[in-house]
Each structure stands twice: as C-alpha cells, then as structure tokens.
C-alpha cells in the first residue's frame, strides 16, 4: 500500500518532501498502530537536530553573495588568459570556469543556469554550435555538487551520520577526475570537429586577469583550507567564506550594496527551507522504512543478485542512473540512502564515504539524462535549444561521465585519499 501511494504521488508530480510524508503516514495507518503517530513530528524534528546542517544555509549564502560580486566574469577571464588560444579554447574556458565556480556555488542547477547565460552566447559568437555550447555548460555544472563545498554531500553526511568534513574532502579527487576527463574529451572533439581557436593573450594581460580573479579564488581557498587544516568545521568554514564574500562584494568589486542584502537573505532562506524540509521528510520516511524492515528485505534480494561488493556497486550504478533521470539529486539521495547504505556497509563492507561519492555522483549525472533530466532542461531553456538535441550532441561527455562513475566505484582510494 505504501509503495503504491509513493509511486502514484510521484507520477502526479507531488513535491518529493510531501510524497515522503504522505507515504510514511499511510504506512502508519496501515500498520494498525496509531501510537506511531505520536512519533511522527519528533522524528521530523530529530532529523534536523544536527549541527552539520547549519553548513547548508551558509554555503547557499556564499553562493548568493559571490553571484552579486561579479565572480563569473572574472573567472572566465582568468581561464581565457591561459587556455583561450588552444583549439576549442572557449570550451576549455567553459570547463575551467565551471570548476572554479563549482568550488563556491555547490549547486548544479544554479550553476548551469548562471553559466549558460554567460558562456553560451559567447561561444556561439565564436563559431561554436549553440547546442554543443549549452550541453558543455550543463556537464560543467555537474561539478557543482561534487567539488566542495557541496550541499549534496552535506545532506548525505547527515543521512549517513558521517563527518561532514570527511564527506566534503571525499569529493575533491572525483571532481578533478571528472574535470580532467571532460577536458580530454574537448581535446579529442577539438581535433575531430575542428573547434575554433581563441585569441592568444600576452603575459601582461594574463597577469591582469590573475590579479582581478585572486580575491575570488580566496573564497574557496579559505573554505577548503579551514576544513583541511582543521581550523574549523565545514559550518564554521562556510561562515568565514560568507564574511569574505561579503567583504569582496562590498569593498573590492563594489557590486554589492546594503539594499541587496534583503533579497539575498530571502533567496538563501527559501532555498534552505526547501532542502531542510526534504531532510525532515527523509527522517520520518527512514524511520518508517526501518520499522517496516524494508532494508532487510531489499538486502536479501540484492544478495541473491550481487555476490561481491563490486557487483553490488555496479548494480547500484544502473538502478540510480534510472532513478536520477526522474528525481533530482537531493530527493533521490534522501529516498535511497536509508535503504542502500545499511546494505553497503553491513553486508558488503563498503566504506560509507566511498559509497556516498558513488551514489551522489550517479544521481547528479541523472540531472542530465532523459527523459526528465532537470539540469538538461535548465540548460535547454536558458539557451533556447531542444533538450533531446542538446543530449545528442553531448553524448561523448555522457559516455565519459559513465566511465568516471565506474572508475569511482572500482577505485575506493579516489574517495578516501584525504582521510
């Protein structure tokens, strides 16, 4: 009954947080134990009673402040100064700028929307196909939820009850791996399709670009340095990053004003509320799953199909790629982690951080996979290109991302190197 309600509500397009709450409520009523209703609200509150969740509004605030500080234009100029003259130079610039913005925004859809407005018109003027430019920007946006700070990783850390710091550090090498593979794909396409070259800048122009971008690069350096150096928790690092971002916007670029703060804080509050409501709904849904012994039932079935940890992870990749095409990253994470994590750690002995990276990256790739692919439709909408055409012209990047997923599944060291 609960599964039927879950499927029907998802098919009707009901927001995922409400779907989880309704499914939990239906299970309680069907169990014939109305006393469980007394625990409904405490379970939701308990899911939010976690210090690590404070990092979410602060990371969102950092992104909002940096958006207002003119970060994108300066980072694009910095990337152009060093790789613009290569064949496919603007494609490299797109990926490098996305990587640098990713270390600040931490949100795929926000990054895709912002970078599409900046990069797609510029690449089209330089002779690139508009659909290719939009698709490349979308795949660059995949780096947002992987390279720290990452809201997706923070949510996973809370769900899996692992240190937020460790989970954020686990995303560094996977993010660099994806960036490197995407740039290799651009190099191959540059030769095959004859992508245009950009203008070569002199050392003086390069130094000017570096000088203009250095304050922007200080933000991720401060956040990651604080976490890596053990000077503070991710929450404290995010707070320091927000202060730095505000200082740069007010006093260096001077593109922020006090009148902008109410709107910035309102957007931060609304986005935070959406994420935290999902986390609260996940808390009560996870409790219901455990009470109904769903993870144990699923574990028995999976063990009959996958007999080794590698087989289990490959099965998870296939299943979550399908899930990720119809459900956004964080809601998908909230739905599958309570079921699959106990199996991964308890049955197959997989490290929770390694499993978290594999699950998160797989669900994030679903953002760019038909039929739904939210990130795909964001890029298509902003760029005014058909989503299916956009997917077709960027199939090489999809294939490379699948290769990266398999490598991450087979090589735990890439996720655990900084522990």
């Amino acid at each position: 009954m609960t599964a039927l309600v879950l499927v029907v509500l998802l098919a009707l397009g009901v927001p995922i947080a409400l779907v989880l709450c309704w499914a939990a409520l239906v299970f309680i009523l069907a169990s014939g134990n109305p006393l469980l209703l007394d625990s409904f609200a405490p379970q939701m509150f308990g899911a939010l009673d976690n210090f690590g969740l404070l990092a979410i509004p602060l990371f969102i605030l950092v992104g909002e402040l940096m958006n207002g500080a003119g970060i994108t234009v300066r980072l694009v100029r910095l990337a152009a100064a060093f790789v613009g003259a290569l064949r496919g130079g603007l494609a490299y610039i797109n990926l490098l700028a996305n990587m640098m913005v990713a270390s600040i925004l931490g949100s795929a859809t926000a990054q895709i929307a912002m970078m599409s407005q900046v990069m797609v018109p510029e690449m089209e003027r330089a002779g690139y196909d508009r659909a290719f430019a939009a698709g490349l920007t979308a795949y660059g946006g995949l780096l947002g939820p992987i390279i720290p700070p990452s809201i997706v990783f923070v949510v996973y850390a809370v769900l899996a009850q692992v240190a937020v710091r460790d989970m954020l550090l686990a995303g560094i090498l996977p993010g660099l791996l994806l960036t490197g593979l995407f740039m290799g794909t651009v190099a191959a396409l540059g030769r095959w399709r004859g992508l245009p070259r950009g203008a070569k800048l002199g050392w003086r122009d390069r130094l000017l670009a570096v000088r203009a971008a250095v304050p922007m690069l200080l933000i991720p350096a401060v956040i990651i340095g604080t976490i890596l150096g053990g000077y503070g928790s991710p929450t404290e690092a995010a707070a320091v990053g927000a202060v730095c971002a505000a200082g740069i916007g007010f006093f260096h670029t001077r593109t922020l004003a006090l009148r902008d703060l109410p709107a910035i804080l309102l957007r931060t509050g609304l986005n935070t509320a959406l994420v935290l409501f999902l986390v609260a709904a996940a808390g009560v849904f996870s409790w219901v799953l455990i009470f109904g012994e769903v993870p144990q039932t699923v574990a028995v079935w999976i063990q009959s199909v996958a007999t080794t940890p590698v087989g289990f992870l490959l099965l998870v990749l296939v299943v979550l790629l399908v899930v990720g095409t119809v459900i956004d990253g964080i809601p998908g994470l909230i739905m599958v982690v309570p079921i699959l994590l106990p199996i991964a750690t308890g049955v197959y002995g997989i490290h929770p951080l390694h499993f978290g990276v594999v699950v998160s990256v797989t669900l994030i790739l679903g953002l760019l996979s038909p039929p739904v692919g939210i990130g795909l439709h964001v890029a298509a909408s902003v760029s005014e290109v058909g989503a299916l055409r956009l997917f077709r012209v960027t199939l090489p990047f999809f294939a490379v991302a699948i290769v990266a997923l398999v490598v991450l599944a087979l090589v735990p060291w890439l996720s655990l190197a900084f522990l």
Side-chain angles (χ1 to χ4, degrees), residues 101-406:
V101 172
S103 65
I104 296 168
L105 281 184
S107 168
T109 49
Q111 185 168 328
I112 290 169
M114 184 180 71
M115 294 299 290
S116 294
Q117 293 173 346
V118 175
M119 291 305 305
V120 173
E122 191 68 28
M123 291 182 72
E124 190 176 27
R125 281 194 293 269
Y128 290 81
D129 176 68
R130 188 175 184 84
F132 174 79
L136 179 65
T137 305
Y139 276 92
L142 283 181
L143 304 173
I146 300 171
I147 297 177
S150 166
I151 295 172
V152 171
F153 281 3
V154 172
V155 171
Y156 174 84
V158 172
L159 293 173
Q161 297 183 353
V162 297
V164 174
R165 171 187 178 275
D166 292 343
M167 194 62 223
L168 292 178
L169 295 180
I172 294 177
L173 288 183
L176 294 176
L177 172 67
L178 270 174
T179 304
L181 288 174
F182 286 164
M183 293 184 74
T185 306
V186 168
L189 292 175
R191 289 179 175 273
W192 179 38
R193 296 184 180 178
L195 297 179
R197 295 178 183 268
K200 185 175 182 179
L201 298 181
W203 283 105
R204 182 178 180 275
D205 292 327
R206 292 179 181 180
L207 289 174
L208 289 175
V210 170
R211 188 175 69 178
V214 162
M216 310 302 163
L217 297 177
L218 285 177
I219 305 302
V222 166
I223 293 173
I224 297 172
T226 300
I227 297 171
L228 274 176
Y231 300 111
S233 67
T235 301
E236 292 159 342
V240 173
V243 172
C244 291
I248 290 171
F250 283 123
F251 304 112
H252 179 67
T253 64
R254 298 185 179 181
T255 54
L256 281 178
L258 287 176
R259 64 177 178 273
D260 299 323
L261 285 181
I264 287 173
L265 293 174
L266 178 61
R267 288 195 299 272
T268 300
L270 290 174
N271 290 328
T272 301
L274 290 173
V275 175
L276 293 186
F277 184 29
L278 278 169
V279 174
V284 71
F285 187 68
S286 301
W287 166 65
V288 160
L289 290 178
I290 294 170
F291 188 86
E293 299 184 345
V294 173
Q296 294 90 323
T297 304
V298 174
V300 171
W301 175 80
I302 288 179
Q303 283 181 281
S304 68
V305 178
T307 57
T308 65
V310 171
F312 169 73
L313 285 175
L314 293 179
L315 177 64
V316 167
L317 290 183
V318 174
V319 171
L320 294 191
L321 271 177
V322 176
V323 171
T325 63
V326 294
I327 299 177
D328 200 357
I330 291 177
L333 204 65
I334 286 169
M335 289 185 66
V336 303
V337 168
I339 298 174
L340 295 179
L341 180 62
I343 302 170
T345 56
V347 177
Y348 294 98
I350 298 170
H351 197 288
L353 295 179
H354 177 213
F355 184 71
V357 169
V358 172
V359 170
S360 300
V361 176
T362 306
L363 286 171
I364 291 164
L365 181 58
L367 289 172
L368 299 179
S369 304
V372 178
I374 296 172
L376 201 68
H377 286 280
V378 168
S381 175
V382 173
S383 308
E384 298 180 354
V385 178
L388 287 178
R389 178 169 174 249
L390 190 152
F391 179 74
R392 283 197 304 270
V393 300
T394 54
L395 270 175
F397 293 95
F398 184 79
V400 164
I402 295 295
V403 170
L405 279 177
V406 175

